[in-house]
Amino acid sequence: MKLYFMPGACSLAPHIALREAGLQFRLIKVDYKSRRTEEGDDFRRINPKGYVPALELKEGQLLTEVPVILQYIDMIRPDACLLPDAALERLKALEWLNYIATEVHKSFSPLFRPKTPEAFLSPGRAHLSLRLNVIERHLQQHRYLTGPAFSLTDAYLFTVCRWLDDQKLSIADWPALQRHSDDVARRQAVRDALAREGLAD
Ligand SMILES: N[C@@H](CCC(=O)N[C@@H](CS)C(=O)NCC(=O)O)C(=O)O
């Protein structure tokens, strides 16, 4: 398997997941500006969507979209217990994956685009903060998003929370979220993924 990534981007979530699952994979860096892979290929020919992450299962078989890739990794390594099994708990986990993808991740996206008008930034950050408040309230009652045990939902949340600093938002304003990020950051798979992406402190 090959995971196409950009350091620190949302591809960090499946990168962590692959390590949590103990799977063998190759990591291939994509340059943000040129959209060339480190092997010199045009990434848009590999993934016509042009964005990371993309997980190549075998030649000609590509999976994209963070929540789908995370579910795939859980599916092929059921013993690793990376997402809950029981029907309702699993749906609650998928609810979080969807919430992080559509409400949190995609609230960050326009804030990063160089052409976003300055006037949008402050209301955009306020909107993102409202979405994070929902997670903050949940994490005041639960150690991880799906309960007492880590799941891949936490890897995705950790990944997007790392972007707060870039947006002049401080995770310290969400103490439960900060505690959650600190807990996730201590996991070996997370430390290894950050180090491999050149992001270790
Ligand atoms: N819906 C996609 C979003 C992926 C996405 O936003 N990727 C960003 C990095 S976090 C990216 O590659 N952006 C470059 C671009 O959109 O051109 C997913 O869930 O995988």
Side-chain angles (χ1 to χ4, degrees), residues 87-103:
L88 190 59
E89 285 173 33
R90 191 170 186 90
L91 286 172
K92 295 304 286 180
L94 300 188
E95 193 180 307
W96 280 121
L97 287 181
N98 203 61
Y99 184 79
I100 299 166
T102 61
E103 301 297 335

Side-chain angles (χ1 to χ4, degrees), residues 52 70 77 80 85-86 108 115 137 171 194 198:
V52 296
L70 295 181
R77 279 289 278 115
D85 263 345
F108 270 105
K115 288 192 178 154
R137 286 194 291 273
I171 196 166
L194 289 173

Side-chain angles (χ1 to χ4, degrees), residues 6 9-10 32 35 51-53 65-67 105-106 163:
M6 292 176 192
C10 52
Y32 178 79
R35 301 295 151 111
Y51 54 64
V52 296
E65 304 302 320
V66 174
H105 181 171
K106 285 297 140 181
W163 305 337

Side-chain angles (χ1 to χ4, degrees), residues 6 8-12 14 30 32 35 43-44 47 49-54 64-69 101 105-106 109 112-113 156 159-160 163:
M6 292 176 192
C10 52
S11 43
L12 177 63
V30 179
Y32 178 79
R35 301 295 151 111
F43 180 59
R44 291 192 184 90
N47 177 13
K49 288 174 176 169
Y51 54 64
V52 296
T64 62
E65 304 302 320
V66 174
V68 172
I69 297 175
H105 181 171
K106 285 297 140 181
S109 297
F112 281 117
R113 283 184 204 119
Y156 194 10
T159 296
V160 297
W163 305 337

